[in-house]
Structures are given as structure tokens and as C-alpha cells.
Amino acid sequence: MLRARDAVRGVLDNPSAFNHKYPMTETKKIYKPRPVTGFPEWLPDVRMVEQQWFDHIRRVFESYGFCSIETPSVEELDVLRAKGEVDKEIYCLERLHKDESDSKDARLALHFDQTVPLARYVAQHFNDLVFPFKRYQMQRVWRGERPQAGRFREFYQCDIDVINVDNLPLHFDAELPAIMWEILSALPGMEGEKIQIRVSNKKILMGLIDGHLNDEGDQINFFRLIDKIHKEGLELLLCFLSEKNINIYLINFLKSVFSKKSYAFSELDSLIVGTGIAYSDSYKAGINELKFILQSTAHLPLGSVVADLSIVRGLDYYTGTVYETVFTENPGYGSICSGGRYDDLASGYINKNLPGVGMSIGFSRLFSYLKEKGKLPVGRQSAADILVVLPSKDRQEQAAETARTLRARGMNVEMYHRDAKIKNQMAYAEKKGIPYVWFPPFEAGQAHEVKDMKTGTQSAADPSVWTIPGT
Amino acid sequence: MLRARDAVRGVLDNPSAFNHKYPMTETKKIYKPRPVTGFPEWLPDVRMVEQQWFDHIRRVFESYGFCSIETPSVEELDVLRAKGEVDKEIYCLERLHKDESDSKDARLALHFDQTVPLARYVAQHFNDLVFPFKRYQMQRVWRGERPQAGRFREFYQCDIDVINVDNLPLHFDAELPAIMWEILSALPGMEGEKIQIRVSNKKILMGLIDGHLNDEGDQINFFRLIDKIHKEGLELLLCFLSEKNINIYLINFLKSVFSKKSYAFSELDSLIVGTGIAYSDSYKAGINELKFILQSTAHLPLGSVVADLSIVRGLDYYTGTVYETVFTENPGYGSICSGGRYDDLASGYINKNLPGVGMSIGFSRLFSYLKEKGKLPVGRQSAADILVVLPSKDRQEQAAETARTLRARGMNVEMYHRDAKIKNQMAYAEKKGIPYVWFPPFEAGQAHEVKDMKTGTQSAADPSVWTIPGT
């Protein structure tokens, strides 16, 4: 018996042996909740639209044969840093009650994009994947920004990438913007928005500065300054070029090229003809690849995908095609869907040559933008098609049976469980935006009836055959 | 010009002004990736089954009129601790390069369940919600456990809860296990598994110990020791009760009650008759509530929902109905779906009385269990129904047009973009588990053909009318 008693004490002295939760404390302190800046959260009606967005994006991704993957929210800090990323925006994880042993473990941090985790995933599971590996990924990512209006610290991105071993057909560079155009132009709420996918190829500019800017750092700065044109204008770039003693013909050529927002397919070939400007093979290769993409997306409405030679993306790991997507009427909002081709995705993790091409929708940023503009089709607060009324307390079982019958036939059916006035039950359906209210018989022998809350029409109906009008 | 030059330098000296990413460093160091213990990650074929699970669970939740919400991954640490939770399993967030200003902000931590965030959400958005508020939530949660085999540190939970103001009909206590039974019994891979939802009501035992165990701490320990019966046996509990001088009749009664695994509806009334054991009104109320649940779930197959008076849940915030769900043939694995009724969800955050009832599926734990047992219907690596073959380089556009036609008709269609031998293209479809391979005409005037990869049958087909057999 003593042993058992000790055991009781042993268990009771270690509350976590029972459960991870302590009892509520007796003092009832009210902690007024407030939103955490940068971590968006929606009410049910907005969340319903968000779900429609995810469903739509997933449907289109899958219709092109992309598979879904998810990676953990965390990676080892060394993995996140392996690509030389700036780390000041990384959130590290720390156990609240860490002990000595924690310091022996690898430090974990929340991922800040889905590209680094993809690279790690492909390297780690290389032997189990079929190439070309086509995956989509729709997860939250985190940036440890200082709280700031309009900046998200947690947000969704929707990425597609295609990775292959050694080489990857250029057709994928053309398929990706077609997929993204199909998605973006049909998102609920985007009907009135004109968007344009702007494409370029980094080889074009590389082919022009070959022999002029040979220092790698200078090249990186060149592309960075081009990336800033949309925000800062051309002046900084021109100043930089003349500082580097680039000849005036090339400077003027670049100036005119960057000022033109969109090149037609036929204009690309003749672009440099007669200018006397020297270029390397890279220039020609870039022009041809860009032409191929314009040609392969010609089935889309005119102006959906255009050539814009000022698109370079700030990220130096892009080596060929680069994409940005803007609202035609509000280009200053910046890109809502970007990406490009990279020569070697997982070079930091595996000794294989894995070229890829990818695009990413800034989901939360785009969603919030349309929400702020009042463009989202926000309406119902519930997925229920029908509210089954409780006629009276003693007809509970019949109401339940009615709900089961309708539900078994594929409808979303909510029951009103409280024995309340019918008026109140209908007000509940109204408030939640439930489109139909169903009245089981109030007395034996009566018929079922269903009311269309929009039109107000009420009519007799049989739960085993009735269908939602228009379905 | 000087000003512009300074500006160039200003921008270039602050790389983050360009983009959040630095260039890749020149030294190519291979960082061999490895899995992070406790953070599960699936290959595409397993992920496809996981998606089917989420789709199924969502479909059933919505068919009962529950709406979706998502909350941020983090809460303020004070919110997470407001309910007196043990905090050593909490992961805090810390910016890698934190500065002085960080210490002024509220500390953020990853949520460890979806109940605390729900309480905060309801309190925060109280005026914008329609009650009874019926929500489902399927998100990742985190526990900062020491790495340990089989323990997850990141995992999915699928919760439903109903919250109302002041009081909540008992019918919801009966609806929840019916929903969960419908979900669990029909998850892909669960066909061969027998499960049972075990229900009790904490009022029953409260009504028996009233007047015997008056100290709140003793009551909590009483319930905790009952919660341990399944793992530790009865002895610890009996020892505790005799130490507290509970009379031997009550001890023996409890012993017999806890030993019986399942009570029929008709047995509950007569349980205490003739024992001479005193009980308070709470006992009777608990028995009646439990009977109501058994009665209201009688439409489910016999044995789906049973009364088991040893179910108490370790969490003291449950005040009435409590649920656990076990594999009938492997009860030792523990509960895969649990929950209960609580009197006052958001008492820590708002001055309202908000009773609720909820259940939660331990999604990742259940999914991994079936995966380990080899029960998941893992097959295809791709959502593509059809692979459109590239007959030759010059027939690219016709292949693309074929894919678009099939896709517009609702099928998931992947194109093979490389001009490879047909044999290799088919091997690719085989490896990804794509069920149909489509052959556009190899020459003008020829017909399209489609091959069923399972049967090997190949026949002429028209992309504008062909449908997947059986759909």
C-alpha cells in the first residue's frame, strides 16, 4: 500500500504526467484580447471567400498536373541561411522553458518563403521523386518584420515550380504564366480588375553588359537598380551606368528600352538592329526565349502576357525568364505574382544540377487588397444551404430525420436545436445568410414546406426528392 | 549629379532596400538536409491521401452547417497563458536579429491547440458573430516537446465547437459525436478499423463525490486519477480514495462502475438503485444528459456511441459531457478524437457567459497511425487524369490545343513537354500513376487515341467528347 501511495504522490506531484493543462486558476482576471499586428484574421464570411480562392487555385494547379506538397513550418536555421538570405527577418523558435539540452539541438526557424523549403525537400527526397517534379504549395510563411501598418508578418503564398534534372524544356516557362493568368483572372472578386503578366529574360541584359560590367558585384547592382526603376525612376540607374563608364550609346539604348512598357513579338527581333550596339550570344538567346513565351501564350486574351525588358526581379538566382504581374490600372501597387527560372535550385543541398522555373502568388497581399477595395463577394456566414426548423419540442426526431435525409442527398443542412419561436429561427437563418428554411410537418399528416429566403416563396416539398433550384 | 550619386550609394549600401535576399555566396558549401524530428513531411503520394482526408472532413463539417475559421499561428503569450496552461511546451517566437524595441512588444508564441485561440476569437469578435456560433478549424498546432520518437512537435488538429450565449441546447452534445462518427468511419483507409466513441458526463461523478471530496484540489486529483485508469489501472485511484476516507461502499461502487466498459441506455437508470449510495442532483442530471445522447445517436450503427463512466478527460474545464474515441481492437493507442462541454469558454477574455461543446480529431496522429500500419490508399503521385504525349517537336501546338480542350471539360491534364521517345513519355505516366495517356495525331488526318494504362486498351477518341470511363 505504501508503494501505491508513493506512486499517487509521484503522479500528482507531476501534473504534466496527467495532461498538459493545469486547472484554471481561481482568480478570474479578464485579459482583453486584441489583434496582433501583421497576423491577419478573418470573420467567417470573409473566410468563406478565402476558401473559394484556395479551392480555385488548387483546382487550376491540379488541372495542369501539379501535385501538392507541404513542408514543415520550420527548417533548421542553417538550411534557411544556406542560400545566403538576409536573416534579420527570420523568426526563430525558442521553447518557453528551455533547458541545457536545447542548446545541443539545431536551431529551428519559421520559413520565410516556399522556395528554400522546396530546395531542401527536393534534395532530401531526390530518390523518391519523379522528374520533372511539378509541385504546388499553398502555405503560410513568416517574416519577422517590425510591426508596421500594411506589412504582414504571417501570410499565405501559393507557389508552383517545376524542377528537372540537368535541363528543363522552355515550354514550362510558357505554361506557368498561362496557369497564373487563368487563376488570377477568375478569382472571385477579380472580375473588374485588369491584370498583366510582364515577362523578360535576364540573358538579354546580360548579353548587353557583357564586356562592359565584368565585376559580379557591379552586375548585381545593375539588376538591382533596374528592379528599382518602377519605384525610383531611371535616374539612379543612369547615374550608376555613367559612373561605370558605360558608353553613351548603350546608356541611351537602355534608357529607351526601359521606358517602353511593352514590346510586341515582332518588335523584339528588330530591337537592336541599326543601333550599332554590341551584344553577346546571351542577348540573342534571351530574345529567342522571350519570343517563345509570347508565342506560346498567344491563345490568351491580347495583352495578358507582354514583354517588358525592365523586369529583372531583385533576386540574383534567376538566370533566364523572369515574371511580374501588375494591375494594369494600378501598377504602383507592385507585383502580385512573380517568379522566374533558376539554373540550379538545390545547389546548396545536393550535388545534382536541378534547373527549375517557378511562380508565386502573394495570396494574402492580393486578398487583402481586394478586401480593402470592397471587391470580395462577401455574403454568407455559413456553408449551410438549408436550416431545418424545429416545429416544436416533441417533433425533434422528425426534424433530425428530415435533416439527415437532405444531408444524405448532398446538401449542407443545419438544424435549429432550440425550441424557439419560428420567427426567431428564421431570423437566425437570415443573419447567417442561409438561403433556404425547411419546415418539417408541425402536425402528423401535414406536408413539409421549404421557403426561399431571397424570394420569400414558400411551397410544399418532399425531403427525399427536393433539390436546390438551379443545381 | 552628386545628389544622384549619393542616392545610388545610399541604396546600394542598404541591400535590404532592394530585396530581402542577398546574392548567393561564391563558396558552394553542400549542406546535407535531414528531417527535423517531430515535424512530419510527406511525399506527394501520401500527401494526396492527406488532402482527401481534409476534403472529407471539411465536407462533413460543412454538411452540418459549420463554418470555417482560421486564426493566426501565434497568440500573445499572455493569451495562451490566461487559462493557466502549462507553458513549458510552448514555442515562443524570437526575431533572429532582435533589437531593443523588441522587448517593448508583447511576446508571441505558437498556439498549442485551437481552443484557446477560439476563446480569444469569440471574445474579440463577439459583436460580429451570430450565435450559436458553429465553427470548424483545421490548422497546425505546435508543442515545444523535447525531440522524442513518435511525438509530434507540429501537427494538424481538426476541431468543431459550438458556442452560445448563456445556454446551449444539449442536442449539440449529441450532434457532435454523430458528426465525428460519420467522419472517422469513412476516412480513406479506415474501412477495416472499428472505432467507438465513448461518452460520459462529469456531473455523474461530481454527484457521487459531493460531500465526500469537498476540496477543489482533491476533486481535480480524483478526475486525474480516473483519467489514468486506462494506462495505470485502478489501484492508484483506489489508494487515493481510501486515503481520503471515502466510505467503502462508494469505493466498491466506483470500482465496479469503472471496470465496466460500456453501459446500455436501459442500465443507466438502475445503476445506483439498491446500492444505498447517496448522490446529489448533479448525479441525476448527468445520467439524464448521458441518456439523451445515447438516445439521440441511436440512428448510428449499434456500438458506435457508448456510455463509459471512466471517461473524464484530464482537463478540468469540462463540466458536463466528455468524449473519447478509441480503436475497439486497440484501445491502448488512446483517444483519436476527444472533447466535451464547458460552461464558460471565454471567461478569461470577456465578461459574458459562453457555454460550448467541442470535439477535436488528432489528425496527424491518426493519419500517421494508419500510414505506419500500411492502411492508407497510397497510389498516384499526381492529380493528373491524363498525360498528353508530345508526338514530335513540330506538333507541339496541336498537343497544347488537345490539352486545353480536355482541361476545359474538367479533366486534369498534364503535357509532356520534352521531345522524347514515346516509350519514355509513357514510362513517366506510369511512374506518376497517371491513369490515361493521350496521343494527339502524329500526322495530319490521323485520329486522336487514348490508352488506359491499367487495362492497356488503346482506342480512337475525340478530345471534345471523350470522358473518363466511370465518371
Side-chain angles (χ1 to χ4, degrees), chain A residues 102 120 175 304 313 410:
Chain A
D102 282 77
R120 194 265 312 144
E175 196 173 58
S304 305
R313 304 302 297 149

Side-chain angles (χ1 to χ4, degrees), chain A residues 5 7-9 12 17-24 28-31 33-34 39 41-44 47 51 55 58 62-65 67-68 70-74 76 78-79 84-87 90 92-97 101 105 113 120-121 125 132 134 136 139-140 142 144 146 154 156 164 167 171-172 175 221 224 228 236 239 243 299 315-317 347-349 381 396 404 407 412-414 417-418 428 432, chain B residues 5 7-9 12 17-24 29-31 33-34 39 41-44 47 51 55 58 62-65 67-68 70-74 76 78-79 84-88 90 92-97 101 105 113 120-121 125 132 134 136 139-140 142 144 146 154 156 164 167 171-172 175 221 224 228 236 239 243 299 315-317 347-349 381 396 404 407 412-414 417-418 428 432:
Chain A
R5 270 188 202 171
V8 171
R9 285 207 192 82
L12 296 184
F18 291 98
N19 203 289
H20 63 284
K21 292 176 185 183
Y22 277 132
M24 275 180 60
K28 201 167 167 179
K29 178 184 145 203
I30 301 286
Y31 180 89
R34 53 181 179 182
F39 291 80
E41 170 174 277
W42 312 125
L43 287 168
R47 167 65 184 159
Q51 284 182 298
D55 291 344
R58 172 181 166 187
E62 293 186 350
S63 80
Y64 283 82
C67 71
S68 167
E70 282 195 347
T71 60
S73 303
V74 307
E76 291 187 5
D78 287 342
V79 170
E85 311 294 342
V86 169
D87 45 22
I90 291 180
C92 291
L93 258 49
E94 195 175 76
R95 297 203 308 141
L96 186 56
H97 290 289
S101 59
D105 299 323
D113 72 4
R120 194 265 312 144
Y121 183 96
H125 303 292
K134 300 168 60 178
Y136 71 91
Q139 289 186 241
R140 291 175 168 184
W142 292 266
R146 299 283 319 135
E154 170 174 68
Y156 275 105
N164 205 13
N167 60 64
H171 301 82
F172 287 109
E175 196 173 58
N221 286 335
R224 285 186 171 161
K228 300 296 280 181
L236 285 180
C239 174
E243 215 177 38
H299 64 285
L315 313 180
D316 72 305
Y317 59 71
S347 60
Y349 314 118
Q381 295 205 20
Q396 178 74 38
R404 282 197 291 271
R407 209 175 276 132
N412 293 342
V413 185
E414 178 164 351
H417 285 309
R418 186 193 302 279
Y428 172 80
K432 283 212 171 168
Chain B
R5 269 187 202 171
V8 172
R9 288 211 189 79
L12 295 184
F18 290 98
N19 202 290
H20 63 284
K21 293 176 186 184
Y22 276 133
M24 274 181 61
K29 178 184 146 202
I30 300 286
Y31 181 90
R34 54 182 179 180
F39 290 80
E41 170 173 276
W42 311 126
L43 287 169
R47 168 64 184 160
Q51 284 183 298
D55 291 344
R58 172 181 167 188
E62 292 186 350
S63 80
Y64 283 82
C67 71
S68 166
E70 283 195 346
T71 60
S73 302
V74 307
E76 291 187 4
D78 288 342
V79 169
E85 311 293 343
V86 169
D87 46 22
K88 71 172 174 180
I90 292 180
C92 291
L93 257 51
E94 195 174 75
R95 296 202 308 140
L96 186 56
H97 291 288
S101 60
D105 299 323
D113 72 5
R120 195 264 314 143
Y121 183 95
H125 303 293
K134 300 167 62 179
Y136 71 91
Q139 289 186 243
R140 291 176 167 183
W142 293 267
R146 299 284 318 134
E154 170 173 68
Y156 276 105
N164 205 13
N167 59 64
H171 301 82
F172 287 109
E175 196 173 57
N221 285 335
R224 285 186 170 162
K228 299 296 280 182
L236 285 180
C239 173
E243 214 178 39
H299 63 284
L315 312 180
D316 71 306
Y317 60 69
S347 61
Y349 314 117
Q381 296 205 20
Q396 178 74 38
R404 282 198 291 272
R407 209 176 275 133
N412 292 342
V413 185
E414 179 163 350
H417 285 310
R418 185 193 302 277
Y428 172 80
K432 282 213 171 167

Side-chain angles (χ1 to χ4, degrees), chain A residues 242-306:
Chain A
S242 63
E243 215 177 38
K244 295 290 166 190
N245 299 316
I246 306 298
N247 79 57
I248 190 71
Y249 300 102
L250 181 53
I251 292 185
N252 284 337
F253 179 71
L254 290 173
K255 195 173 159 184
S256 78
V257 156
F258 294 145
S259 303
K260 185 162 165 125
K261 284 292 105 204
S262 158
Y263 281 92
F265 178 78
S266 58
E267 292 172 303
L268 287 172
D269 268 334
S270 55
L271 201 59
I272 208 156
V273 174
T275 61
I277 289 170
Y279 55 86
S280 72
D281 289 349
S282 171
Y283 172 85
K284 206 66 204 156
I287 290 284
N288 285 336
E289 289 182 15
L290 185 53
K291 280 170 63 189
F292 181 84
I293 289 169
L294 292 182
Q295 198 170 26
S296 304
T297 53
H299 64 285
L300 297 177
L302 193 69
S304 305
V305 178
V306 300

